[in-house]
Structures are given as structure tokens and as C-alpha cells.
Amino acid sequence: MATSNWTTPHPSTFILLGIPGLEEAHVWISIPFCSVYILSIVGNCLLLAVIKSEPILHEPMYLFLAMLAFADLVISTTAVPKTLCIFWFRDQVIHIDACLAQVFLIHTLTTMESGFMLAMAFDRYIAICNPLRHSDILTSRVIAQIGLGVVVRGAVLLGPHPFMLKQLPYCTTNVISHTYCEFMALVKLACVDTTAMRAYSLLVAFLTAGLDFILIILSYILILRAVFRLPSKEARRKSLSTCSSHVCVMIAFYTPAFFSFFSHRFGHVAPHVHILIANIYLLFPPMMNPLIYGVRTPGIRQRLLYILGLKRA
């Protein structure tokens, strides 16, 4: 294990321990981590290639899905390679600038992912509750504006995080009990009152993922109300099937996200359990999104089989 060279309250490097208590199992843990990472990269690249090459998929739902896939690619690559270096080579040292870049990218991109899921829910709401105006409301310009708004929201609200962390004094240690640099993990190392920073982080979390989740739930309440007013059982089944993929992706994203968030701030969970859940939060959704949409969407599935040479055009 690398030893900390901490000598100052403003260190130039931090030490990432990996998963405390499971150091002897790091090599074995790296196997599923690496496998899931490879599946995430391959799956999301294929998903982007399919959506780009298939004109019939140039619809709002799949354009938002492409934005989500790109965010998945960046967030996985931001965290996992360094984690694997810790597991395989005990390369635990990370420069403060790289650490703060991780903080910014991970938190900003997860916020963007939440925003893209809200946009997808809005698309499903318009498609089911106001289908005749769907193409008039969600034009290419509106889709681009929504995507840009999601990106700007994440960058503006999460942008202060690395600057606030850089000013903090770390008087006791520069050792981070985690596999990657995370905002609350660094805040807990500070030797000054961080109440204001914690409050800001909590407010940002509510204004982004929390508010997005509430709006998604409201949109599905309205969708269900509209669906159950349809006259035929077949029409109801068909309408609900168009939402099933999005619901699966939403569950895969928000379940570990909320567990990780609340356990870090309010819970008393064993450190290795919290860190494993935090990594599942970054690894699992990027792997599952292409699988869910690839299996459940005929257009994506057929085009993917053609790209892989398993089906004729």
C-alpha cells in the first residue's frame, strides 16, 4: 500500500485507498469491475453508432438516449481506469488537480444523466398524453435546447465544488478511503467547519436529481392516468410498453444513487459497503442502459445485429 507523503494542510497529492477492509481482495474485485467497464464502453459506443446510422431512430427519445450514452461513456472513463490502477498496481497517488477534475466530472455528469432521464420522461409524457402535437413540440431545435440546458445546469451548479475543495485545509491526512475522489469524501477530511459547503451540496442535489426524480414521478402519474383512460386493453398495453425501457433505466440509475447519497450524509453504513454501492452507481447504469434499450427496442436491436454482421440489411 502506498504511504501518504502528507506534510501540509494544502497537499499536492491525495492517496486513494480503494476499498478499506477488502485490500486483499482488490485483484478479485477488479475482475467484475473491468468486465462491466468493457461492457459499458462497447455497449454505449454501439448504441451511439446505431442511433447515428439509423434515420428512423432520429427521434427525441433516442436523441436523449444518445446524450445519456455519451455521458455514461465519460463518467465510466473518468473513474474506472484509476480504480483499476489501484486494484492492479497499487497506484494510489492522485494529483490534487486530477482529483478535483474527477469530482467535477463525476458529479456534473451524474447530474446531466438525471436531466436526460427527465427529458426522456417528458418525451414519453408528450407522446402519450398529447401525441398529435409531439413532433410540433419536440422539434430538433427544442431537443438541442433541452440538451444544452441540462449540460449548462450541471456545469453551473457543480462548477463551484472543485474550487471550494481546493481552498480547504486538510490538517490531519490526505488519505481518502475511496476508489475515486468524491465531494463528501474530501469534505470529511477538512479541519474547518464545512456546514455551508455541505448545505450547498445538499441544495444542489435536491435542485437536480431530487427535483428531476419528483418531476419524473409526476409525469408518470399523468401518463398512467391518460393510459387507463384509453378504450381498449391493447392500446393500454402498447402505450405502457413504450415506457418500460425508460422505467428500467430510471430504476437502475436512481436506486444506487439515492442509497449512496443518503448513506454518505446521514447513514452509518460500513465503509466498504458504501464504497461498493458508490461504484455500482457509476458502473451499473452505463452497462445496463444499452442492454435494456438494445433488448427492448426492435429498431435498435435489428440495426445492432446488422452492424455485428448477424443479420442482413
Side-chain angles (χ1 to χ4, degrees):
M1 181 185 298
T3 57
S4 172
N5 61 351
W6 177 84
T7 57
T8 168
H10 297 283
S12 61
T13 60
F14 287 97
I15 307 296
L16 292 167
L17 287 184
I19 306 177
L22 298 178
E23 289 88 353
E24 297 301 320
H26 275 178
V27 173
W28 297 105
I29 295 171
S30 71
I31 296 173
F33 272 55
C34 184
S35 301
V36 170
Y37 176 59
I38 292 171
L39 286 173
S40 300
I41 296 298
V42 173
N44 283 289
C45 286
L46 285 173
L47 186 61
L48 287 170
V50 167
I51 293 173
K52 182 179 183 298
S53 63
E54 187 62 55
I56 198 173
L57 297 177
H58 294 175
E59 297 179 358
M61 184 69 169
Y62 301 108
L63 294 176
F64 291 134
L65 178 61
M67 298 177 196
L68 180 63
F70 182 77
D72 284 341
L73 281 172
V74 178
I75 196 170
S76 297
T77 304
T78 298
V80 180
K82 180 60 181 177
T83 299
L84 293 176
C85 286
I86 296 170
F87 290 165
W88 289 340
F89 311 117
R90 298 182 182 269
D91 180 13
Q92 298 172 305
V93 178
I94 184 169
H95 192 274
I96 185 171
D97 292 334
C99 184
L100 296 179
Q102 267 197 341
V103 171
F104 174 73
L105 288 172
I106 289 172
H107 291 288
T108 301
L109 286 162
T110 51
T111 297
M112 291 178 190
E113 287 180 323
S114 179
F116 294 140
M117 289 191 191
L118 175 59
M120 294 163 76
F122 177 65
D123 167 75
R124 291 299 85 201
Y125 166 74
I126 298 297
I128 292 174
C129 297
N130 200 355
L132 297 179
R133 297 197 59 210
H134 182 261
S135 58
D136 294 330
I137 295 172
L138 287 174
T139 62
S140 298
R141 182 177 180 181
V142 171
I143 294 169
Q145 289 174 338
I146 291 174
L148 180 61
V150 169
V151 172
V152 170
R153 181 190 70 165
V156 169
L157 291 179
L158 279 302
H161 275 49
F163 296 101
M164 291 189 292
L165 291 171
K166 185 123 186 191
Q167 302 306 314
L168 289 177
Y170 302 97
C171 302
T172 56
T173 182
N174 66 338
V175 177
I176 304 172
S177 298
H178 214 302
T179 56
Y180 58 85
C181 292
E182 197 265 349
F183 180 77
M184 284 303 299
L186 283 167
V187 166
K188 288 180 178 180
L189 296 182
C191 53
V192 293
D193 183 23
T194 56
T195 302
M197 293 177 64
R198 291 169 184 255
Y200 177 75
S201 175
L202 192 62
L203 177 63
V204 169
F206 173 76
L207 292 176
T208 54
L211 189 59
D212 291 346
F213 184 74
I214 292 170
L215 292 174
I216 290 172
I217 295 299
L218 289 175
S219 71
Y220 272 100
I221 290 173
L222 296 174
I223 287 170
L224 289 173
R225 189 175 70 173
V227 166
F228 287 114
R229 286 178 177 176
L230 295 174
S232 71
K233 184 177 180 180
E234 180 62 22
R236 291 194 293 270
R237 186 198 65 79
K238 192 172 182 180
S239 296
L240 288 174
S241 69
T242 64
C243 300
S244 59
S245 297
H246 180 247
V247 171
C248 292
V249 167
M250 187 179 69
I251 292 171
F253 176 80
Y254 282 108
T255 301
F258 284 134
F259 183 90
S260 178
F261 176 82
F262 286 113
S263 66
H264 218 324
R265 286 162 175 80
F266 308 114
H268 299 283
V269 181
H272 67 276
V273 174
H274 167 75
I275 293 168
L276 285 171
I277 294 295
N279 279 278
I280 289 172
Y281 170 44
L282 296 187
L283 283 167
F284 189 64
M287 180 192 71
M288 291 303 299
N289 295 346
L291 292 176
I292 291 169
Y293 277 94
V295 169
R296 301 188 64 88
T297 307
I300 292 178
R301 184 171 63 249
Q302 291 168 12
R303 185 65 183 177
L304 179 59
L305 291 174
Y306 170 71
I307 289 176
L308 295 176
L310 302 176
K311 185 177 181 179
R312 293 182 179 181

